[in-house]
Amino acid sequence: MAATEAAGKLAYRIYRAVSYGAEAAVNLHLRWRRLRGREHSLRWTERLGLPSLSRPTGPLLWFHAVSLGEGMTAIPIIKECIKQRPDVNVLMTTTTVSAFEVISKRLPSGVIYQFAPLDTPSAVGAFLGYWKPNAIILIESELWPNLIMGASENGIVLALLNARMSSKSFKKFSGPVLLPLISLMLSKFSLIVPLSTMQAIHFQLLQASPYIIKFSGDLKYVVEEFDASEGELRSTQDLRLQLAHRQVWMASSIHRGEEESQFPVICFQY
């Protein structure tokens, strides 16, 4: 175990050095994405860890999800946290513009929304230094070395909810090159909530402590119940009735405009 930890620390030092050296190129790429409309035209600097809002006084919980689906999963949890601890400030971050456009309108009043920092030493350091979260709740598969190690070094509690990874990612992470780094990162978590038994086995095989793995089921199943408005539920029910006797094809997790430019849909009555 000591040898694995030492190998993990060495791997992280290499990752940190490479990500530090790549900061200039990453920043240029971020600007290119902004010009293409893939980053927010006004708030893109938040991805560099630069805040656009003031940090309120008091304890702060940071929820992070990569995109819309994962972000929607976090909303019922955020609502429950506010209900249980109204004295705690909540910060929500995602990485995509599409998630921002939807989630920012659904969050409870008072929740702070920012774009997540890139996983470079400067961006993560600036973000953690400004917001100073007491705990970070990551959704699904957000395992970024600079973020996780930086949080641990600052004494910030880490949790991973609806934890999952694809078979391809598991195979890659369990190899001899990346396993020490992944094992080191997972050792920094206080709680991992996998979305299935198989996912729990994956995390244990990646050397996460079984004592921090707890079960709750797939949290995406509570999104409709707790976060959809009455009108949205009625519209969904009407659509289900209309499509009950048809074969349905669906494109999901697409970017704005792709359904027009890349996915022409022809509907057939069966």
Side-chain angles (χ1 to χ4, degrees):
M1 183 62 71
T4 301
E5 183 178 358
K9 290 180 178 179
L10 175 60
Y12 173 62
R13 286 196 292 270
I14 294 172
Y15 175 89
R16 183 174 176 83
V18 171
S19 60
Y20 182 80
E23 282 188 341
V26 170
N27 292 351
L28 285 175
H29 181 66
L30 181 68
R31 287 167 170 79
W32 173 243
R33 284 177 55 86
R34 178 178 68 88
L35 293 174
R36 296 178 61 198
R38 302 299 294 273
E39 300 289 342
H40 196 283
S41 60
L42 299 177
R43 301 180 59 170
W44 65 276
T45 55
E46 293 174 16
R47 301 280 279 142
L48 300 175
L50 304 177
S52 62
L53 297 170
S54 300
R55 188 204 190 281
T57 58
L60 184 142
L61 287 179
W62 173 17
F63 286 82
H64 171 62
V66 62
S67 58
L68 180 57
E70 295 88 345
M72 293 295 291
T73 301
I75 292 177
I77 306 168
I78 291 173
K79 290 180 176 179
E80 186 63 24
C81 286
I82 293 174
K83 180 181 177 181
Q84 296 288 336
R85 289 290 304 273
D87 59 310
V88 173
N89 302 296
V90 176
L91 168 68
M92 176 74 192
T93 65
T94 62
T95 62
T96 65
V97 176
S98 59
F100 165 79
E101 292 174 344
V102 176
I103 294 174
S104 60
K105 300 174 183 177
R106 294 173 176 262
L107 288 170
S109 176
V111 174
I112 306 163
Y113 191 103
Q114 298 279 278
F115 285 97
L118 298 167
D119 198 53
T120 61
S122 296
V124 169
F127 193 94
L128 295 178
Y130 181 82
W131 292 105
K132 295 181 172 60
N134 298 83
I136 303 174
I137 298 91
L138 305 176
I139 308 296
E140 293 205 6
S141 56
E142 288 297 273
L143 297 176
W144 293 102
N146 284 321
L147 172 58
I148 292 171
M149 298 303 293
S152 176
E153 291 168 3
N154 284 277
I156 301 169
V157 176
L158 284 160
L160 183 61
L161 304 187
N162 236 31
R164 68 171 183 86
M165 63 180 64
S166 65
S167 298
K168 181 179 180 180
S169 295
F170 173 71
K171 183 178 180 179
K172 178 175 65 175
F173 291 158
S174 58
V177 176
L178 291 180
L179 180 59
L181 177 58
I182 297 300
S183 173
L184 177 66
M185 288 194 293
L186 293 178
S187 72
K188 306 305 180 182
F189 283 86
S190 299
L191 174 66
I192 295 177
V193 182
L195 61 76
S196 69
T197 301
M198 182 56 66
Q199 291 294 336
I201 293 172
H202 282 171
F203 280 97
Q204 289 192 50
L205 290 174
L206 294 174
Q207 302 182 4
S209 170
Y211 299 105
I212 65 172
I213 297 176
K214 310 295 180 182
F215 289 93
S216 70
D218 191 343
L219 296 175
K220 284 187 176 179
Y221 288 114
V222 304
V223 172
E224 180 177 359
E225 178 181 355
F226 287 96
D227 197 60
S229 67
E230 182 178 346
E232 289 171 329
L233 288 175
R234 187 162 52 248
S235 297
T236 302
Q237 291 166 358
D238 290 343
L239 184 61
R240 285 174 177 170
L241 290 174
Q242 294 174 30
L243 299 177
H245 303 293
R246 297 184 182 185
Q247 294 186 14
V248 179
W249 180 89
M250 179 179 71
S252 61
S253 296
I254 60 178
H255 294 287
R256 180 177 56 188
E258 286 182 345
E259 74 283 358
E260 299 174 359
S261 61
Q262 298 181 29
F263 298 100
V265 178
I266 301 174
C267 298
F268 295 91
Q269 176 72 47
Y270 291 90

Coordinates of all heavy atoms in Angstrom, one line a residue, residues 66-67 69-70 73 138-143 160-170 173 186 192-203 206 217-220 253:
V66 N -20.8 18.0 -14.5 CA -20.2 18.3 -15.7 C -21.2 19.0 -16.7 O -20.9 20.0 -17.3 CB -19.4 17.1 -16.4 CG1 -20.4 16.0 -16.7 CG2 -18.7 17.6 -17.6
S67 N -22.4 18.4 -16.8 CA -23.3 18.9 -17.8 C -24.7 18.8 -17.3 O -25.0 18.7 -16.1 CB -23.2 18.1 -19.1 OG -23.4 16.7 -18.8
G69 N -27.5 16.7 -17.5 CA -28.1 15.6 -16.9 C -27.6 15.4 -15.4 O -28.4 15.2 -14.5
E70 N -26.3 15.5 -15.2 CA -25.7 15.4 -13.9 C -26.2 16.6 -13.0 O -26.4 16.4 -11.8 CB -24.2 15.3 -14.0 CG -23.7 14.1 -14.6 CD -23.5 14.3 -16.2 OE1 -24.1 15.3 -16.7 OE2 -22.9 13.5 -16.8
T73 N -29.5 16.1 -11.6 CA -29.5 15.2 -10.4 C -29.2 15.9 -9.1 O -29.7 15.5 -8.1 CB -28.4 14.1 -10.7 OG1 -28.7 13.4 -11.9 CG2 -28.3 13.1 -9.6
L138 N -19.2 16.1 -5.7 CA -19.1 15.9 -7.1 C -20.1 14.9 -7.6 O -20.5 13.9 -6.8 CB -17.7 15.3 -7.4 CG -16.5 16.2 -6.9 CD1 -15.2 15.5 -7.2 CD2 -16.5 17.6 -7.6
I139 N -20.7 15.1 -8.8 CA -21.7 14.2 -9.3 C -21.2 13.3 -10.4 O -20.6 13.8 -11.3 CB -22.9 15.1 -9.8 CG1 -23.4 16.1 -8.8 CG2 -24.1 14.1 -10.2 CD1 -23.9 15.5 -7.5
E140 N -21.4 12.0 -10.2 CA -21.1 11.0 -11.2 C -19.6 10.7 -11.4 O -19.1 9.9 -10.7 CB -21.8 11.2 -12.5 CG -23.4 11.1 -12.3 CD -24.1 10.8 -13.6 OE1 -23.4 10.5 -14.6 OE2 -25.3 10.8 -13.6
S141 N -18.9 11.3 -12.3 CA -17.6 10.8 -12.7 C -16.6 11.9 -12.8 O -15.6 11.8 -13.6 CB -17.7 10.1 -14.1 OG -18.3 10.9 -15.1
E142 N -16.7 12.9 -12.0 CA -15.8 14.1 -12.1 C -14.5 13.8 -11.2 O -14.5 14.3 -10.1 CB -16.5 15.3 -11.7 CG -17.5 15.8 -12.7 CD -16.9 16.2 -14.0 OE1 -16.4 17.3 -14.2 OE2 -16.8 15.3 -14.9
L143 N -13.6 13.1 -11.7 CA -12.3 12.8 -11.0 C -11.2 13.6 -11.7 O -10.5 13.1 -12.6 CB -12.1 11.3 -11.0 CG -13.1 10.4 -10.3 CD1 -12.8 9.0 -10.5 CD2 -13.2 10.8 -8.8
L160 N -18.5 12.0 -3.5 CA -18.8 11.6 -4.9 C -20.2 10.9 -4.9 O -20.3 9.8 -4.4 CB -17.8 10.7 -5.5 CG -17.9 10.3 -6.9 CD1 -17.8 11.5 -7.8 CD2 -16.8 9.3 -7.3
L161 N -21.2 11.6 -5.5 CA -22.6 11.1 -5.5 C -22.9 10.5 -6.9 O -22.5 11.0 -7.9 CB -23.6 12.1 -5.1 CG -23.4 12.8 -3.8 CD1 -24.6 13.7 -3.5 CD2 -23.2 11.8 -2.7
N162 N -23.8 9.5 -6.9 CA -24.2 8.8 -8.1 C -22.9 8.4 -8.9 O -22.8 8.4 -10.1 CB -25.0 9.7 -9.0 CG -26.3 9.1 -9.4 OD1 -26.9 8.3 -8.6 ND2 -26.9 9.4 -10.6
A163 N -21.9 7.9 -8.2 CA -20.6 7.6 -8.7 C -20.7 6.5 -9.7 O -21.3 5.4 -9.5 CB -19.7 7.2 -7.6
R164 N -20.1 6.7 -10.9 CA -20.1 5.7 -11.9 C -18.9 6.0 -12.8 O -18.3 7.0 -12.8 CB -21.3 5.8 -12.8 CG -21.4 7.1 -13.6 CD -22.6 7.1 -14.6 NE -22.6 8.3 -15.4 CZ -21.9 8.5 -16.5 NH1 -21.1 7.5 -17.0 NH2 -21.9 9.6 -17.2
M165 N -18.5 4.9 -13.6 CA -17.5 5.1 -14.7 C -17.8 4.0 -15.7 O -18.4 2.9 -15.4 CB -16.1 4.9 -14.1 CG -15.8 3.6 -13.5 SD -14.1 3.5 -12.9 CE -14.1 4.8 -11.6
S166 N -17.6 4.3 -16.9 CA -17.8 3.4 -18.0 C -16.8 2.2 -17.9 O -15.8 2.3 -17.3 CB -17.7 4.1 -19.4 OG -16.3 4.5 -19.6
S167 N -17.2 1.1 -18.6 CA -16.3 0.0 -18.7 C -14.9 0.4 -19.3 O -13.9 -0.1 -18.8 CB -16.9 -1.1 -19.5 OG -18.1 -1.6 -18.9
K168 N -15.0 1.3 -20.3 CA -13.7 1.7 -20.9 C -12.9 2.5 -19.9 O -11.6 2.3 -19.8 CB -14.0 2.6 -22.1 CG -12.8 3.1 -22.8 CD -13.2 4.0 -24.0 CE -12.0 4.5 -24.8 NZ -12.4 5.3 -26.0
S169 N -13.5 3.4 -19.1 CA -12.7 4.2 -18.1 C -12.2 3.2 -17.0 O -11.1 3.4 -16.6 CB -13.7 5.2 -17.5 OG -14.0 6.2 -18.5
F170 N -13.0 2.3 -16.6 CA -12.5 1.4 -15.5 C -11.3 0.6 -16.0 O -10.4 0.4 -15.3 CB -13.7 0.4 -15.1 CG -13.2 -0.7 -14.2 CD1 -12.9 -0.4 -12.9 CD2 -13.1 -2.0 -14.6 CE1 -12.5 -1.4 -12.0 CE2 -12.7 -3.0 -13.8 CZ -12.4 -2.7 -12.4
F173 N -8.4 3.0 -16.0 CA -8.0 3.4 -14.6 C -7.3 2.3 -13.8 O -6.5 2.5 -13.0 CB -9.2 4.0 -13.8 CG -9.7 5.3 -14.3 CD1 -11.0 5.7 -14.1 CD2 -8.9 6.1 -15.1 CE1 -11.4 6.9 -14.5 CE2 -9.3 7.4 -15.5 CZ -10.6 7.8 -15.3
L186 N -9.0 8.6 -4.8 CA -10.2 8.0 -4.1 C -10.0 8.0 -2.6 O -10.9 8.1 -1.9 CB -10.5 6.6 -4.7 CG -11.0 6.6 -6.1 CD1 -11.2 5.1 -6.5 CD2 -12.2 7.4 -6.3
I192 N -18.5 8.0 -0.9 CA -18.7 7.6 -2.3 C -20.1 6.9 -2.4 O -20.3 5.9 -1.7 CB -17.6 6.8 -2.9 CG1 -16.3 7.5 -3.0 CG2 -18.0 6.3 -4.3 CD1 -15.1 6.7 -3.4
V193 N -21.0 7.4 -3.2 CA -22.3 6.8 -3.3 C -22.5 6.3 -4.7 O -22.8 7.1 -5.6 CB -23.5 7.8 -3.0 CG1 -24.8 7.1 -3.1 CG2 -23.2 8.4 -1.6
P194 N -22.2 5.0 -5.0 CA -22.3 4.5 -6.4 C -23.8 4.3 -6.8 O -24.6 4.1 -5.9 CB -21.6 3.2 -6.3 CG -21.8 2.7 -4.9 CD -21.8 4.0 -4.0
L195 N -24.0 4.4 -8.1 CA -25.4 4.2 -8.5 C -25.8 2.8 -8.7 O -27.0 2.5 -9.0 CB -25.6 5.0 -9.8 CG -24.8 4.7 -11.1 CD1 -25.3 3.5 -11.8 CD2 -24.9 5.9 -12.0
S196 N -24.9 1.8 -8.6 CA -25.2 0.4 -8.7 C -24.2 -0.4 -7.9 O -23.1 0.1 -7.6 CB -25.3 0.0 -10.1 OG -24.0 -0.1 -10.7
T197 N -24.6 -1.7 -7.7 CA -23.6 -2.6 -7.0 C -22.4 -2.8 -7.8 O -21.3 -2.9 -7.3 CB -24.3 -4.0 -6.7 OG1 -25.5 -3.8 -5.9 CG2 -23.4 -4.9 -6.0
M198 N -22.5 -2.9 -9.2 CA -21.4 -3.1 -10.0 C -20.5 -1.9 -10.0 O -19.2 -2.1 -10.0 CB -21.9 -3.4 -11.5 CG -20.7 -3.6 -12.5 SD -19.6 -5.0 -12.0 CE -20.8 -6.4 -12.1
Q199 N -21.0 -0.7 -9.9 CA -20.2 0.4 -9.8 C -19.4 0.4 -8.5 O -18.3 0.8 -8.4 CB -21.0 1.7 -10.0 CG -21.6 1.9 -11.4 CD -20.5 2.2 -12.4 OE1 -19.4 2.6 -12.1 NE2 -20.8 1.9 -13.7
A200 N -20.1 0.0 -7.4 CA -19.4 -0.1 -6.1 C -18.2 -1.0 -6.2 O -17.1 -0.8 -5.6 CB -20.4 -0.6 -5.1
I201 N -18.4 -2.2 -6.9 CA -17.3 -3.1 -7.1 C -16.2 -2.5 -7.8 O -15.0 -2.7 -7.5 CB -17.8 -4.4 -7.8 CG1 -18.8 -5.1 -6.9 CG2 -16.7 -5.3 -8.2 CD1 -19.5 -6.3 -7.6
H202 N -16.5 -1.7 -8.9 CA -15.4 -1.0 -9.6 C -14.6 -0.1 -8.8 O -13.4 -0.1 -8.8 CB -16.1 -0.2 -10.8 CG -16.5 -1.0 -11.9 ND1 -17.3 -0.5 -13.0 CD2 -16.3 -2.4 -12.3 CE1 -17.5 -1.5 -13.9 NE2 -16.9 -2.6 -13.4
F203 N -15.3 0.7 -7.9 CA -14.6 1.6 -7.1 C -13.7 0.9 -6.0 O -12.6 1.3 -5.7 CB -15.5 2.6 -6.4 CG -15.9 3.7 -7.3 CD1 -17.1 3.6 -8.0 CD2 -15.1 4.8 -7.5 CE1 -17.5 4.7 -8.9 CE2 -15.5 5.8 -8.4 CZ -16.7 5.8 -9.0
L206 N -10.6 -0.3 -7.6 CA -9.7 0.8 -7.8 C -9.2 1.3 -6.4 O -8.6 2.4 -6.3 CB -10.4 1.9 -8.5 CG -10.8 1.6 -9.9 CD1 -11.6 2.8 -10.5 CD2 -9.6 1.4 -10.8
G217 N -29.1 4.1 -4.5 CA -29.7 3.9 -5.8 C -29.4 5.1 -6.7 O -28.7 6.0 -6.4
D218 N -29.9 5.0 -8.0 CA -29.6 6.0 -9.0 C -30.4 7.3 -8.7 O -31.6 7.3 -8.7 CB -30.0 5.5 -10.4 CG -29.5 6.4 -11.5 OD1 -29.1 7.6 -11.2 OD2 -29.4 5.9 -12.6
L219 N -29.7 8.3 -8.3 CA -30.3 9.6 -7.9 C -31.1 10.3 -9.1 O -31.9 11.2 -8.8 CB -29.3 10.5 -7.4 CG -28.6 10.1 -6.1 CD1 -27.5 11.0 -5.7 CD2 -29.6 9.9 -4.9
K220 N -30.9 9.9 -10.3 CA -31.6 10.5 -11.4 C -33.1 10.2 -11.4 O -33.9 10.9 -12.0 CB -31.0 10.1 -12.8 CG -29.7 10.8 -13.1 CD -29.2 10.4 -14.5 CE -27.9 11.2 -14.8 NZ -27.4 10.9 -16.1
S253 N -28.8 14.3 -25.0 CA -27.5 14.8 -24.6 C -26.8 15.5 -25.9 O -25.6 15.2 -26.1 CB -26.6 13.7 -24.0 OG -27.1 13.3 -22.8

